[in-house]
Structure formats: C-alpha cells, structure tokens
Amino acid sequence: MTKLYKAFSAVTALLLLYGFCQAWYIAPTEATMGNVQRIFYYHLPSAWVAFLLFFVNFLASAWYLIRRTDGADALALAAAEVGVSFCTIVLITGPIWARPIWGIWWTWDARLTSTLVLWLIYVSYLVLRHYATGGQVPVLAAALGIFGFVDVPIVYMAIRWFRTQHPQPVIGGGQGSGLDHTMWVAVLWNLAAFAMLAVLFVWARYRQALAERALEEAYIQAEGEAQ
Amino acid sequence: MNPSSGNAYLYAAYIVVWAVHSLYAYSLLGRARRIRREAAELENQRQR
C-alpha cells in the first residue's frame, strides 16, 4: 500500500465521519417524514456514485474495444464491481425508506424497476467476467458494458418521463422541488465522501486486476519453461 | 408524524450501507492476500 493510498484513505475516513455528522446532527429534521428522511443523505449520493462508476465502466469498455489495453479492461472491471456495490445500497436503502413513508417496501414503478434492471445488467457483467472462459471474454464484457450503460439515462429520466411513486427530482424538478440549503450541504459532503471511498475501492481493485493478470501470465511462462 | 417514529428504519439503512461497504473492503483484503500467496508460491516454484 503506497503512502498516497494511505493518505487518501485517511482523508476519506475523515470525510465520511464529517458526512455522517452532517446527515445526523447538522441537517434539519424534515417536517413531514421526520428522522427517517436522513436515509436520503446516503441513498442519493450512493445512486450518483453508482451512475458515475457505470459511466467510467462505459468509457473504459469503449477504450478497451479501441485500443485493447489491459489497463482499460481492468478499470472497466473495477468500476463495474464497485458500482454494483453502490447500486446494491441504493436498492436496499430505498425500500427501507419507502416502508414507513409509502407503506410498502416496493412498487414496480419506472424508477425502481429501471434501477433493478440496471443492477441486474451489471451483476450479469460481473458473472460473465467471473465464470466465462476464453480470450473473447473481455470483448464481450466491454460490449455489455457499453450497451448496459444505456439504462443509466433511463433510470435518471424515469421520474421525468413517467408518473412514478418515487419522488420528483430535487434538481431541475420544476416548481416546488428542491432542497433546503443545509440539506444540500449534507448531500454534497456525503457525495464527496462516497466518491472518495469509490475511488479508493476502484484504485485497489484496478491494481488487483492487473496483478492477477500478470500472475496468470507468469504462471503460463513458468509452465512453458518447465516443459 | 413523530420525528423519531422512523428511527428503526434509519438505523437499519445505515447499518446496511456500512455492512455492504465493509463486506466489499473485506473481499478486497481477501483477494490481496490470495494474490500475495500465489505470487510467493510461484516464486518458490521458480527457485526449485
């Protein structure tokens, strides 16, 4: 572990702690939902970070198809894996928040359904990476990463295009939408903290993916020398 | 609505968030250990 990684980890830990204080103690209690609304400060940043990671996967996949570099393939894998973990958080915290507010855990509206489909697309990407064998796997995975990303704008726009149970957008949602300034501050601190956590995870996973590849090649070389 | 009435859901959500991140961090540590072990095995194999 490099000194830079350790320093980045320490800053991230401090930011996460501060983000937690913002969400639990500094942001005001929402008038109609009460304390349960504080789930929002982890739910929304997790969703945005997941979208960002799937975008990184999209770019890295496209780069891999153009240049066929190991680095692009490793970055695509790392971004998808971390993106799935953030998307999992979105899909679990959403229903936990919905139950006391809507009275139901889940409904098949456009936003929730498209988010579930997004999660399934990237889980299938990881399954493909993990279980398929052969030289064409990175190419197939890159194609899936590129076409799978189409669902991200659909998830984002679902609450604008369709009437949904999910609340209307807090950005650009028209009259009556938006957030109190102190709530925005809490959202942005948590967004910064989770984005840095995602960078840490992607950084570690990227290096591991490259190390695994180098190890695999070294094993093949060693076997060749032995024969 | 009583502001504290949803506290159990709030705690559950925060526990889930940290459980998922901790599990992922743990999986990274496990993979790092496996890579180090395999690299050491390869090195031993080469020396023999």
Side-chain angles (χ1 to χ4, degrees), chain A residues 36 39 91-101 105, chain B residues 8-10 12-13 16:
Chain A
V36 74
I39 293 173
L91 281 171
I92 299 175
T93 55
I96 292 175
W97 187 7
R99 182 67 183 87
I101 303 303
W105 294 100
Chain B
Y9 293 98
L10 176 65
V16 163

Side-chain angles (χ1 to χ4, degrees), chain A residues 51-66:
Chain A
F51 291 166
L52 189 67
L53 289 166
F54 294 145
F55 183 59
V56 171
N57 172 273
F58 167 80
L59 291 179
S61 298
W63 191 246
Y64 178 76
L65 289 184
I66 296 165

Side-chain angles (χ1 to χ4, degrees), chain B residues 7-21:
Chain B
N7 278 4
Y9 293 98
L10 176 65
Y11 300 146
Y14 275 65
I15 289 168
V16 163
V17 169
W18 289 109
V20 171
H21 287 317

Side-chain angles (χ1 to χ4, degrees), chain A residues 185-199:
Chain A
V185 172
V187 167
L188 293 175
W189 276 110
N190 277 292
L191 178 64
F194 282 108
M196 284 184 72
L197 183 67
V199 170

Side-chain angles (χ1 to χ4, degrees), chain A residues 15-37:
Chain A
L15 259 180
L16 285 167
L17 193 64
Y18 188 64
F20 176 80
C21 292
Q22 279 281 341
W24 281 64
Y25 304 112
I26 299 172
T29 305
E30 209 269 345
T32 52
M33 288 186 266
N35 280 337
V36 74
Q37 181 270 345

